[in-house]
């Protein structure tokens, strides 16, 4: 079997026995272990004299490099996270564009391709991840790299009307067409891409679903990312760590708890969620003193301005809710601006009566899937899920809400807390079935199978498009 080369913005080597890594990292490591290969990308460090480091663990070689300060500012902080991230999440109002940053973004992609080239064997298969690396395949082709290259977009792909707000969109998406296979989380994303190719790029969409534009022909498919549901269930069952005292009354009675876990990002709908919770306590006062909400949201990308603003805004709303509604023996909202390790999170999911996952836009949202998988089958909690999370396609048995509808969310919380056991079980079974049918292994294996069989790809794409 040909070697696999994974290219992603960040690389974090996994050492044996390290249980803190997220599911996605573990899934990609498994793929690398199966065929042997390289994981290549940035190590998260910024330095004056960027260096490349190599570390081999088993049959996987991690090749990581630092970024210079201008590269970090322009490629990472600038075009990736201040232009592409907001636009791809439908927040043109938060996006800024600077030509120099775009040039930096292209320059870093070219530099990465150059550093990778000498490490490649002719039959290696390359799997590139996410929006930081859209022009990476084009940079590789320019250097004469002829290997098969696939790309997976973890975030949403927006409608062309939104995308064209990016001034160099044509240049950017011309370079995107050099991939052999482009994977999306949902059919909505794939259709938006197809729309862009036919309406903006003057390309063609063949009857079998394959695409051509700017002299390139390539494929696009839908590969919803999953979790390992039974592994999470086992972890949740065997969790013996710290039990939260949140939710306990002074007499030791247990209150019902709601849980949300996110990176602190404006796409996650945190402010709207806090406001909906406040509305819920106002509108359904019988729940006061009987419910507590735990929000875990560690700061991310704290050196990007919009992230500083959302953090401040959230602190204000959290303070407002607690200031208004708390009592001497009851704090309605616990906002933890910190990270918790994975095992503790899974343990918390198990104990919470409601998982509240209400992003304004999300490629998939693995937290929704992890919450369901961690439930006790005999007494499962209820997932309240935004219709704008990719996960809502598969988890249609959740209580689906519109995060812009404050009262609608408040009503869904009331319904979730009152839901009879039989209905909770039915919804849980339905969702577990969906999680098992499209788990993390299926995501990885179908993408790699399609990439490896590129050339025979037309049939595959048509089949996959029909399936979602
Ligand atoms: P993220 O935006 O980071 O990922 P998400 O899918 O929710 O969003 O989380 C990824 C992982 O990080 C999950 O395993 C989750 O448990 C963990 N995580 C999230 N918040 C955490 C916290 N506060 N503390 C500890 N762990 C936390 C991007 C896209 C998503 C897409 C994923 C995978 O934005 O839409 O689902 O990639 O493709």
């Amino acid at each position: 079997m040909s070697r696999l080369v994974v290219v992603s913005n960040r690389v974090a080597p996994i050492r044996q026995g390290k249980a803190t890594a997220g599911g996605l990292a573990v899934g990609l490591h498994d793929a690398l272990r199966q065929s042997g290969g390289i994981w290549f990308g940035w190590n998260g460090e910024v330095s004056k004299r960027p260096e490349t480091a190599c570390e081999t663990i088993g049959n996987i070689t991690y090749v990581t490099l630092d970024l210079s300060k201008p590269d970090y500012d322009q490629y990472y902080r600038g075009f990736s996270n201040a232009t592409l991230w907001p636009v791809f999440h439908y927040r043109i109002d938060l996006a800024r564009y600077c030509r120099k940053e775009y040039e930096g973004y292209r320059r870093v992609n070219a530099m990465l391709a150059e550093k990778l080239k000498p490490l490649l064997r002719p039959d290696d298969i390359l799997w590139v991840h996410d929006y930081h690396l859209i022009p990476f395949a084009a940079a590789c082709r320019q250097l004469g790299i002829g290997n098969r290259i696939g790309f997976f977009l973890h975030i949403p792909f927006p409608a062309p009307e939104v995308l064209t707000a990016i001034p160099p969109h044509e240049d950017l998406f011309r370079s995107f067409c050099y991939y052999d296979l482009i994977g999306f989380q949902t059919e909505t994303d794939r259709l938006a891409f197809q729309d862009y190719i036919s309406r903006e790029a003057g390309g063609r969409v063949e009857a079998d679903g394959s695409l051509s534009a700017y002299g390139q022909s390539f494929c696009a498919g839908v590969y919803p990312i999953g979790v390992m549901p039974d592994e999470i269930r086992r972890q949740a069952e065997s969790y013996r760590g710290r039990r939260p005292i949140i939710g306990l009354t002074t007499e030791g009675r247990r209150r019902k708890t709601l849980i949300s876990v996110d990176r602190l990002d404006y796409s996650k709908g945190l402010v709207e969620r806090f406001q909906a919770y406040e509305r819920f306590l106002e509108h359904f006062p019988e729940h006061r003193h009987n419910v507590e909400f735990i929000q875990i949201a560690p700061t991310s990308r704290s050196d990007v301005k919009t992230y500083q603003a959302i953090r401040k805004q959230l602190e204000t709303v959290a303070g407002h809710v607690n200031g208004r509604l708390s009592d001497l023996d009851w704090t309605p909202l616990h906002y933890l601006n910190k990270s918790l390790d994975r095992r503790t999170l899974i343990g918390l999911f198990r104990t919470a009566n409601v998982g509240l996952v209400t992003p304004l836009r999300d490629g998939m949202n693995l937290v929704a899937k992890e919450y369901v998988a961690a439930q006790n089958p005999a007494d499962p909690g209820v997932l309240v899920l935004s219709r704008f999370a990719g996960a809502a396609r598969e988890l249609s048995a959740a209580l689906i809400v519109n995060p812009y509808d404050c009262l609608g969310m408040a009503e869904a919380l009331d319904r979730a807390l009152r839901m009879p056991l039989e209905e909770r079980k039915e919804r849980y079974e339905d969702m577990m079935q969906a999680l098992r049918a499209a788990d993390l292994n299926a995501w990885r294996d179908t993408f790699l199978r399609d990439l490896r069989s590129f050339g025979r790809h037309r049939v595959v794409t048509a089949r996959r498009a029909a399936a979602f």
Side-chain angles (χ1 to χ4, degrees):
M1 193 196 282
S2 46
R3 281 195 322 177
L4 176 65
V5 176
V6 172
V7 184
S8 60
N9 173 57
R10 286 292 301 273
V11 178
I14 291 192
R15 283 172 189 81
Q16 269 204 330
K18 199 172 166 199
T20 50
L24 173 58
V26 173
L28 286 174
H29 274 88
D30 285 350
L32 281 163
R33 230 173 268 130
Q34 277 165 23
S35 54
I38 299 175
W39 195 335
F40 177 81
W42 179 36
N43 59 13
E45 302 290 323
V46 177
S47 70
K48 283 208 173 109
R49 251 180 263 115
E51 285 182 12
T52 306
C54 235
E55 182 184 7
T56 300
I57 304 175
N59 60 351
I60 306 174
T61 302
Y62 300 91
V63 183
T64 57
L65 34 87
D66 316 330
L67 288 180
S68 70
K69 183 75 169 63
D71 285 353
Y72 171 77
D73 283 342
Q74 294 165 10
Y75 150 82
Y76 180 73
R77 207 161 67 94
F79 193 72
S80 293
N81 284 322
T83 307
L84 291 181
W85 178 274
V87 173
F88 276 51
H89 288 86
Y90 286 74
R91 293 301 301 268
I92 305 179
D93 58 318
L94 297 180
R96 69 145 203 257
Y97 173 68
C98 164
R99 189 177 292 180
K100 211 168 170 190
E101 290 176 349
Y102 181 57
E103 285 164 7
Y105 175 82
R106 295 294 306 240
R107 183 181 66 242
V108 170
N109 270 269
M111 178 270 285
L112 292 173
E114 249 172 61
K115 299 252 183 201
L116 181 64
K117 187 180 173 188
L119 309 174
L120 290 177
R121 297 179 191 159
D123 65 339
D124 283 345
I125 297 262
L126 274 66
W127 191 5
V128 180
H129 290 262
D130 234 358
Y131 60 103
H132 316 83
L133 298 168
I134 288 173
F136 186 77
C140 287
R141 303 297 182 221
Q142 256 187 348
L143 296 171
I145 297 171
N147 300 54
R148 207 161 283 192
I149 315 182
F151 177 93
F152 185 75
L153 184 70
H154 290 259
I155 64 175
F157 192 89
E161 287 74 10
V162 175
L163 216 54
T164 48
I166 301 170
H169 66 91
E170 190 185 334
D171 184 66
L172 181 67
F173 290 105
R174 183 189 293 270
S175 71
F176 203 22
C177 299
Y178 286 78
Y179 283 103
D180 296 313
L181 173 65
I182 300 174
F184 297 97
Q185 300 270 26
T186 67
E187 179 63 357
T188 311
D189 298 324
R190 193 189 68 82
L191 285 175
F193 175 65
Q194 194 171 295
D195 218 15
Y196 181 91
I197 291 298
S198 56
R199 290 202 288 132
E200 289 294 332
R204 279 170 60 92
V205 180
E206 305 299 338
D208 63 8
S210 62
L211 303 151
S212 57
Y214 303 118
Q216 306 300 318
S217 83
F218 49 100
C219 263
V222 179
Y223 306 87
I225 192 166
V227 296
M228 298 301 286
D230 291 303
E231 210 169 281
I232 293 176
R233 188 172 51 79
R234 278 193 293 276
Q235 276 174 16
E237 275 164 7
S238 63
Y239 179 70
R240 299 278 174 270
R242 277 193 302 164
R243 296 271 162 201
I245 58 157
I246 295 170
L248 284 184
T249 64
T250 39
E251 309 83 53
R253 179 172 65 85
R254 193 160 267 295
R255 296 184 172 111
K256 292 200 166 172
T257 53
L258 320 177
I259 191 157
S260 295
V261 175
D262 311 78
R263 278 184 307 102
L264 213 172
D265 192 294
Y266 48 82
S267 66
K268 303 291 182 183
L270 293 150
V271 170
E272 291 77 1
R273 189 181 303 158
F274 283 9
Q275 287 166 341
Y277 180 59
E278 183 183 16
R279 180 71 70 90
F280 157 75
L281 292 173
E282 276 170 358
H283 212 78
F284 302 98
E286 63 276 24
H287 290 294
R288 289 188 197 178
H289 291 267
N290 292 321
V291 67
E292 289 183 25
F293 174 25
I294 311 165
Q295 169 73 62
I296 295 157
T299 310
S300 72
R301 303 173 194 165
S302 53
D303 51 353
V304 180
K305 247 196 184 138
T306 42
Y307 286 76
Q308 294 157 6
I310 180 77
R311 185 175 169 186
K312 274 213 175 103
Q313 203 185 351
L314 202 60
E315 280 164 4
T316 308
V317 184
H320 167 80
V321 173
N322 276 337
R324 239 192 100 204
L325 296 165
S326 293
D327 221 328
L328 286 176
D329 60 350
W330 176 56
T331 307
L333 172 60
H334 302 264
Y335 164 40
L336 280 67
N337 181 218
K338 64 188 277 192
S339 189
L340 292 181
D341 70 76
R342 196 172 161 72
R343 283 177 46 226
T344 310
L345 277 187
I346 302 286
L348 273 178
F349 287 155
R350 175 89 163 188
T351 57
N353 303 81
V354 178
L356 191 50
V357 183
T358 58
L360 304 177
R361 250 341 127 167
D362 219 329
M364 176 55 65
N365 197 301
L366 292 178
V367 171
K369 294 187 170 183
E370 290 162 355
Y371 174 78
V372 173
Q375 294 311 298
N376 175 358
D379 185 17
V382 180
L383 176 66
V384 175
L385 179 62
S386 162
R387 57 171 295 155
F388 300 119
R393 309 248 143 198
E394 296 153 87
L395 302 182
S396 54
L399 285 186
I400 303 293
V401 294
N402 180 339
Y404 297 100
D405 178 4
C406 193
L407 184 57
M409 282 218 278
E411 286 167 347
L413 284 181
D414 175 60
R415 185 170 167 206
L417 288 164
R418 291 177 192 281
M419 192 177 284
L421 178 63
E422 272 320 298
E423 185 179 349
R424 282 191 276 129
K425 277 187 178 168
E426 259 171 46
R427 287 175 183 268
Y428 164 79
E429 289 300 338
D430 201 326
M431 289 191 280
M432 274 305 267
Q433 213 174 348
L435 293 187
R436 287 186 179 118
D439 69 5
L440 186 67
N441 287 343
W443 168 74
R444 181 192 66 210
D445 294 345
T446 45
F447 185 93
L448 288 176
R449 189 197 59 206
D450 289 359
L451 182 59
R452 286 184 202 278
S453 65
F454 183 74
R456 290 186 288 117
H457 58 270
R458 288 162 209 284
V459 181
V460 171
T461 310
R463 197 182 58 224
R464 194 158 306 293
F468 288 96

